[in-house]
Amino acid sequence: MPKVYVFVTLKPSLLDSAGRTVADSLNSLGYNEVAGARIGKLIELEIDNPSEERIKQMCDRLLANPVIEDYRFEVVG
Amino acid sequence: MGLNDFEYGRILELLGREPTLTELGMFAVMWSEHCGYKYSRPVLAYFKKYKEAMEGEGLENAGIVDIGDGLGITMKIESHNHPSAVEPHQGAATGVGGIIRDILTMGARPIASLNSLRFGPIRDGEEDASIVERNRYLFEHVVEGIGRYGNCVGVPTVGGEVVFDRRYSGNPLVNAMCVGLLRLDEVTTAAAAGVGNPVIYLGSATGKDGIHGATFASDALGEDSEEKRPNVQIGDPFAEKLLIEATLEALKTGAIVAIQDMGAAGLTCSTIEMASKGGVGMKVNLDHVPMRENDMTGYELMLSESQERMLAVAANGREHEVIDIFRKWGLKAEVIGHVSEGNTEVTRHGVVEASVPAALLTDHCPTYTPEAVVPDYYRSAVAFDISTLPVAEPHGALLKLLSSPNIASKRWVFRQYDQQVQTQTVILPGGGDAAVLAPRGTTKGISVCVDGNGRQVYFDPYVGGQLAVCEAARNVACTGARPVAVTDGLNYGNPQRPHVYWQFRESVKGIADACETMGTPVISGNVSFYNESELGEVLPTPLVGMLGVLDDSSKAVGIAPTSESGSIFLVSVMSVEVRQGGLGATEFLHEVHGIDNGVPTAPDVEGERRLCDFLVLAASSGNLEFAHDLSDGGLAVAAAEVALAGECGLNLQVSHQVRQDSLLFGEVPGRVLIGMTEEDSGIRESAERHGLTFEAIGTWSRRASTLTINETSWTLDHLRSAYENSIPSIMAG
């Protein structure tokens, strides 16, 4: 069955406190080349006959919060 | 940007030239209703303390109540309605965070949060399915946002209220209140002083979020609200917790001259207000502001509403004491400028982007007094006649009322909140008519609640305003606390509509007059206009946050009887002239008859004050088992709430000359149920001395499992299932 990978990330200008914590922690471990980190999530869906239109709907209605998050997806197989 | 042609003309006149883009943005936010109060200032002058403060030394120190033992309480309520309508979780969360910082910058430790929420109907069938679904979504995520932020930041959420009405569909109201405790000798100021003193930026870095939030909050929400989305901010409660600890520690050094929260309108508001209050200027170099993105313009930096930031002025040469403390807590701390004479000047990349006298932005905001017109609906509400209403069947009517989301148990809401962190909470949500806290360092207790009834205010704004004050005072007095001060949250539609301005003006007058009689000055507050969308405008919703003081927190009284059995008394203010059988503008009329009409009964505020005095005395005797005021749903609902809270049966026999539904469900103000194991003649005499009616109306017993009022009985199981299951089953559906 084809897989759909949905990537959800916070919109670029919004504060990502988890990402900030990761960047700060990497710096304190000595990885000073890290200037920033943003954390998102990956959602793997198994969909028979994936339709782009319907995946968009799923993202807008449930998988992402379009007010504060962006998303993109890839269909594999 | 939110400025009209007249206001733009005024800016040209004041500056004597065209403003720069950054200056224009600064005027727009400072002259928005949110910061400039341009439609409300003339009406707010009804509040005596506000008027005195505006004419005298400013609002700041007006907001502190001396509770003795060298301690003071400060409190404030603030709306976050527009952001919550767009992004409920973050909107509500950042509302909680903002009000906590307001309290913190007075030098107080935030000890309690409360909230007052309004949503459209959440039951299927009350409106179109898509609207009901959206209302449930907003309700669920606002509560979650408040819970998460409050729980992470370590300030207990001890009380609040939630009301549903179709006139809040599309326009939820989210008002957050915070209470802080401070030592009276450690009060801080926001007035910048001392030319040459360094200005320090503190907290989290600035990003491009929430640009122009304050002007956004001063606009009606329309179809294009989607495009307003970049205005949303994301809060970080853990950063806020660090900010609380760092700020309180830094204030102790004495190196801080002045400090203010960067809330609405961010750097603009904090630099301009601090300079204006101190009668000085500030020279700020924006290149030193910590940024999340380096390409930010001066305009963006001045208008960003990124969260968890503050601005401080330190004593010259002592800035490192402050900076070291903030850095120790992992927060940013940078000197970005200094206090100066003359204009407040903002530079970015070597270019002066704004140079204005601060007072132009704070003191020259135009004010408006729009036309007020009494709407037709008011006349028909006054003429509403209950004699044509059939008398409702009482058994079913009470169960219906108890399962109405407005009356039903809010356990689903408050179980999501941490009520106990800091371990000072004595009476928890659901346990009393108001929350009670026992701050360490004193035997005194403080009691807090927030109350408002938009329906009553809509139908009779003046009376509705009075009722809100009386209800809130009664609630804290039921716990045994003397009501001492009020903070108000004023939420309305567009004030340029004549009936809205009438609702606003009359309800504020009602609150101000009642506070005067009650002896509870309004010490702080917030105005939110333009709460309307394509679905219409909100009910006029002024909220009263009340503070009460108990001499001994161990004597606090809840609503649940604790002993096996005892006697119940109804204490009432005598001289109330009942209108429309007490049924006008009630929950009963709405739920049982599907009617939204009629006017509420006006309180006798002087009598209410005596009732509060009586309750405080009675509680201090230690003989009160419980006290609970009659509010939404009248006597029957109040009795059911006592029975359910104490898990005991009640048998009440009440003599009356009114129709049965008036007796059971009428909302006549000035009435309280109290319980004692046996009648204490001292308490009866005290009630009579206070000019109150004191009637023995029945008994409670833990061995009984029914509520009986005159000839009608309900089993506790029926009552409980109606009361407890309502909201959980709606939200699970």
Side-chain angles (χ1 to χ4, degrees):
Chain A
M1 196 178 291
K3 281 201 170 169
V4 177
Y5 295 98
V6 181
F7 300 88
V8 183
T9 49
L10 270 178
K11 284 186 189 290
S13 60
L14 292 176
L15 168 71
D16 176 3
S17 51
R20 185 180 61 189
T21 306
V22 165
D24 289 351
S25 305
L26 286 171
N27 289 160
S28 66
L29 288 172
Y31 299 100
N32 294 318
E33 67 270 36
V34 178
R38 308 278 296 169
I39 294 181
K41 62 188 168 192
L42 164 65
I43 300 163
E44 241 181 82
L45 303 170
E46 289 176 41
I47 303 181
D48 208 7
N49 278 327
S51 122
E52 195 161 306
E53 188 47 43
R54 289 180 62 81
I55 297 170
K56 273 194 180 148
Q57 274 182 22
M58 294 179 211
C59 291
D60 284 328
R61 293 187 59 188
L62 183 72
L63 301 179
N65 176 353
V67 180
I68 53 174
E69 290 171 330
D70 291 330
Y71 62 84
R72 64 184 173 83
F73 54 86
E74 290 166 8
V75 182
V76 177
Chain B
M1 222 182 258
L3 289 168
N4 61 32
D5 291 347
F6 166 75
E7 287 160 355
Y8 185 71
R10 181 119 178 212
I11 293 169
L12 291 180
E13 204 177 296
L14 287 169
L15 286 177
R17 60 175 167 84
E18 298 263 331
T20 65
L21 176 68
T22 302
E23 286 169 346
L24 194 57
M26 291 165 69
F27 272 102
V29 290
M30 293 304 293
W31 286 10
S32 67
E33 181 62 36
H34 195 84
C35 299
Y37 293 99
K38 55 190 171 190
Y39 285 96
S40 50
R41 246 187 297 166
V43 168
L44 296 179
Y46 288 128
F47 297 136
K48 205 170 163 190
K49 204 139 185 169
Y50 178 88
K51 187 159 181 270
E52 285 168 7
M54 289 304 270
E55 287 163 358
E57 58 182 32
L59 287 173
E60 226 163 22
N61 294 322
I64 297 170
V65 179
D66 183 346
I67 62 164
D69 299 329
L71 296 172
I73 294 286
T74 173
M75 60 173 184
K76 198 177 169 201
I77 196 165
E78 198 155 273
S79 63
H80 235 216
N81 304 335
H82 288 70
S84 304
V86 177
E87 203 329 89
H89 182 113
Q90 293 299 336
T94 51
V96 174
I99 195 66
I100 287 176
R101 286 193 303 282
D102 258 1
I103 293 303
L104 181 59
T105 48
M106 300 192 72
R109 175 171 287 277
I111 57 167
S113 282
L114 296 91
N115 55 76
S116 179
L117 312 177
R118 300 291 184 278
F119 303 96
I122 54 171
R123 282 180 293 193
D124 290 331
E126 287 196 68
E127 283 197 271
D128 290 352
S130 65
I131 297 176
V132 171
E133 192 189 332
R134 176 76 185 161
N135 291 338
R136 282 204 288 254
Y137 173 83
L138 291 171
F139 174 41
E140 178 177 350
H141 289 269
V142 162
V143 169
E144 179 189 274
I146 292 172
R148 199 183 108 73
Y149 200 100
N151 299 359
C152 292
V153 81
V155 178
T157 304
V158 299
E161 47 158 23
V162 189
V163 176
F164 306 91
D165 187 285
R166 67 184 166 77
R167 279 147 304 190
Y168 299 114
S169 282
N171 300 291
L173 300 183
V174 175
N175 283 238
M177 173 173 160
C178 185
V179 182
L181 179 72
L182 46 73
R183 296 206 54 84
L184 290 171
D185 53 5
E186 289 176 357
V187 178
T188 56
T189 174
V195 172
N197 277 343
V199 174
I200 314 177
Y201 173 110
L202 302 165
S204 299
T206 299
K208 291 181 186 173
D209 41 1
I211 289 174
H212 262 304
T215 38
F216 164 55
S218 305
D219 247 325
L221 288 177
E223 296 281 9
D224 66 342
S225 293
E226 306 278 310
E227 286 155 32
K228 295 195 168 158
R229 282 175 171 177
N231 284 327
V232 172
Q233 311 126 46
I234 292 196
D236 178 357
F238 297 109
E240 178 108 339
K241 172 66 178 164
L242 299 173
L243 201 57
I244 293 176
E245 299 307 329
T247 304
L248 293 174
E249 186 178 334
L251 286 170
K252 287 226 180 300
T253 64
I256 292 180
V257 174
I259 187 162
Q260 183 169 328
D261 164 41
M262 268 190 240
L267 261 172
T268 297
C269 191
S270 47
T271 51
I272 293 296
E273 285 189 358
M274 291 179 78
S276 177
K277 278 178 192 161
V280 293
M282 270 188 200
K283 299 270 181 286
V284 172
N285 184 348
L286 294 175
D287 300 347
H288 299 310
V289 171
M291 292 171 222
R292 295 211 302 270
E293 295 153 273
N294 283 326
D295 61 344
M296 293 185 70
T297 65
Y299 179 86
E300 288 169 333
L301 284 164
M302 288 306 285
L303 295 170
S304 163
E305 295 194 356
S306 290
Q307 295 289 298
E308 290 92 23
R309 303 179 301 159
M310 312 228 269
L311 195 69
V313 172
N316 205 355
R318 298 188 65 185
E319 54 270 33
H320 278 287
E321 297 175 44
V322 179
I323 290 171
D324 288 349
I325 288 171
F326 275 80
R327 292 199 178 147
K328 179 185 83 186
W329 286 97
L331 296 164
K332 311 267 189 229
E334 297 290 340
V335 173
I336 61 166
H338 60 272
V339 176
S340 66
E341 284 170 342
N343 285 5
T344 293
E345 203 172 280
V346 176
T347 314
R348 173 73 172 146
H349 294 318
V351 179
V352 175
E353 295 218 358
S355 177
V356 286
L360 292 190
L361 290 109
T362 53
D363 300 350
H364 290 73
C365 174
T367 57
Y368 301 97
T369 306
E371 188 192 4
V373 168
V374 181
D376 291 337
Y377 78 74
Y378 172 70
R379 293 186 194 92
S380 73
V382 171
F384 180 69
D385 180 8
I386 62 156
S387 66
T388 57
L389 275 185
V391 174
E393 184 276 307
H395 189 270
L398 176 58
L399 294 177
K400 205 162 185 181
L401 276 175
L402 287 176
S403 67
S404 153
N406 286 343
I407 288 179
S409 165
K410 305 299 185 295
R411 191 181 306 280
W412 184 88
V413 176
F414 61 71
R415 72 173 171 77
Q416 300 188 45
Y417 300 152
D418 187 334
Q419 303 131 23
Q420 304 251 43
V421 63
Q422 297 188 14
T423 62
Q424 302 183 119
T425 320
V426 176
I427 292 187
L428 301 173
D433 276 4
V436 176
L437 294 122
R440 278 182 277 279
T442 173
T443 54
K444 290 208 168 77
I446 64 160
S447 176
V448 277
C449 68
V450 55
D451 283 292
N453 184 326
R455 188 192 286 139
Q456 291 176 338
V457 175
Y458 175 80
F459 284 114
D460 193 335
Y462 183 82
V463 166
Q466 289 180 304
L467 283 168
V469 174
C470 293
E471 159 102 28
R474 222 185 294 131
N475 281 339
V476 300
C478 278
T479 69
R482 183 169 38 86
V484 292
V486 163
T487 177
D488 61 2
L490 306 168
N491 303 270
Y492 303 82
N494 179 348
Q496 283 140 294
R497 290 180 209 279
H499 72 277
V500 172
Y501 195 71
W502 171 77
Q503 293 166 346
F504 171 63
R505 190 188 64 196
E506 293 305 304
S507 55
V508 167
K509 218 188 270 180
I511 292 173
D513 288 353
C515 283
E516 186 66 28
T517 308
M518 192 62 76
T520 53
V522 176
I523 60 167
S524 61
N526 176 251
V527 182
S528 169
F529 285 135
Y530 307 100
N531 292 293
E532 50 186 65
S533 68
E534 64 273 14
L535 294 172
E537 72 208 19
V538 291
L539 290 174
T541 310
L543 303 167
V544 172
M546 182 68 74
L547 171 69
V549 178
L550 287 108
D551 285 334
D552 180 352
S553 61
S554 71
K555 296 239 172 96
V557 178
I559 67 166
T562 42
S563 299
E564 200 52 28
S565 61
S567 303
I568 298 176
F569 305 86
L570 177 65
V571 187
S572 17
V573 174
M574 267 184 236
S575 48
V576 174
E577 195 182 311
V578 178
R579 290 199 284 188
Q580 300 171 354
L583 295 177
T586 57
E587 190 63 19
F588 167 78
L589 208 52
H590 176 262
E591 278 297 298
V592 175
H593 293 285
I595 296 172
D596 253 326
N597 206 350
V599 285
T601 291
D604 165 15
V605 186
E606 180 53 44
E608 296 269 1
R609 183 183 177 141
R610 281 184 270 113
L611 176 61
C612 291
D613 290 345
F614 160 75
L615 287 165
V616 173
L617 273 175
S620 68
S621 75
N623 286 342
L624 286 195
E625 284 267 327
F626 71 86
H628 187 30
D629 85 318
L630 274 52
S631 170
D632 298 348
L635 172 67
V637 166
E641 285 169 344
V642 169
L644 292 174
E647 293 183 20
C648 53
L650 262 58
N651 185 352
L652 306 180
Q653 297 300 323
V654 189
S655 63
H656 61 96
Q657 289 102 37
V658 296
R659 46 189 279 176
Q660 191 187 34
D661 47 7
S662 285
L663 172 81
L664 292 175
F665 308 114
E667 297 179 13
V668 175
R671 299 182 301 165
V672 170
L673 288 177
I674 61 170
M676 293 182 267
T677 46
E678 54 194 63
E679 186 176 333
D680 172 336
S681 61
I683 287 182
R684 174 186 283 275
E685 281 158 25
S686 166
E688 283 158 3
R689 212 169 43 246
H690 284 87
L692 304 165
T693 309
F694 188 92
E695 302 162 78
I697 59 165
T699 55
W700 85 81
S701 165
R702 274 182 197 286
R703 283 183 301 275
S705 58
T706 56
L707 165 66
T708 300
I709 306 178
N710 294 355
E711 59 279 9
T712 315
S713 291
W714 297 264
T715 68
L716 289 191
D717 286 343
H718 276 138
L719 298 175
R720 188 177 300 109
S721 117
Y723 186 69
E724 292 291 347
N725 294 345
S726 173
I727 292 181
S729 68
I730 292 167
M731 295 311 289

